[in-house]
Amino acid sequence: GAVVSQHPSWVICKSGTSVKIECRSLDFQATTMFWYRQFPKQSLMLMATSNEGSKATYEQGVEKDKFLINHASLTLSTLTVTSAHPEDSSFYICSVHSGTAGKSYNEQFFGPGTRLTVL
Amino acid sequence: KQEVTQIPAALSVPEGENLVLNCSFTDSAIYNLQWFRQDPGKGLTSLLLIQSSQREQTSGRLNASLDKSSGRSTLYIAASQPGDSATYLCAVRRSGGADGLTFGKGTHLIIQP
């Protein structure tokens, strides 16, 4: 499967600041990447679909002006949490869609996640 | 709206036992279903992917079945080992395009040595 990295693995920031999280597909050119959020003891919730060269598609209830997504290349998508607040503290995970070619048909491969703590 | 439920929420068994983890989904119009493993504070590792036209998939000691019409999937773990301890997540894809997944809350599994 695809190898996906995220940076940073954890970050602590002050309330009101912005934080950028990177998601990289190391061995696969990904037209589509996804961003998920996971609160403690909860499941992963899809936030948005990141499409290379076009605007991201956000799930209902996710503020697009707060969670800025940029998918400038086939191997990199970034999520910027703007004016972060304590309630934004969560585990953010990205995934890469494998497409419809090859062995991994329409499969998703996940990064290791980024733990965000907003003080 | 698709909802995915996993039962049990937690399970603790002695090493060597065979296990069955259950997953159910409310909308049977899924494209495929994936089982993942998540270790504490870590990302997800894909275990098995079942396309909607398939009934089961096997990988080593793991076997996943899918009954799309009844909205159910099971993950069977044979001869469990302490290293199998993790949270197991079930997720469904709603369409054939590049679409996100809807996850269950997971089953927290502990295998006692």
Side-chain angles (χ1 to χ4, degrees), chain B residues 18-41:
Chain B
N18 301 323
L19 309 170
V20 176
L21 307 182
N22 296 292
C23 171
S24 63
F25 43 95
T26 55
D27 185 349
S28 62
I30 64 167
Y31 191 77
N32 60 29
L33 181 146
Q34 262 182 281
W35 281 93
F36 296 90
R37 168 187 173 137
Q38 184 177 29
D39 292 286

Side-chain angles (χ1 to χ4, degrees), chain B residues 78-100:
Chain B
S80 59
Q81 303 170 358
D84 295 331
S85 299
T87 296
Y88 289 80
L89 297 167
C90 167
V92 298
R93 179 188 304 280
R94 58 195 174 191
S95 76
D99 210 352

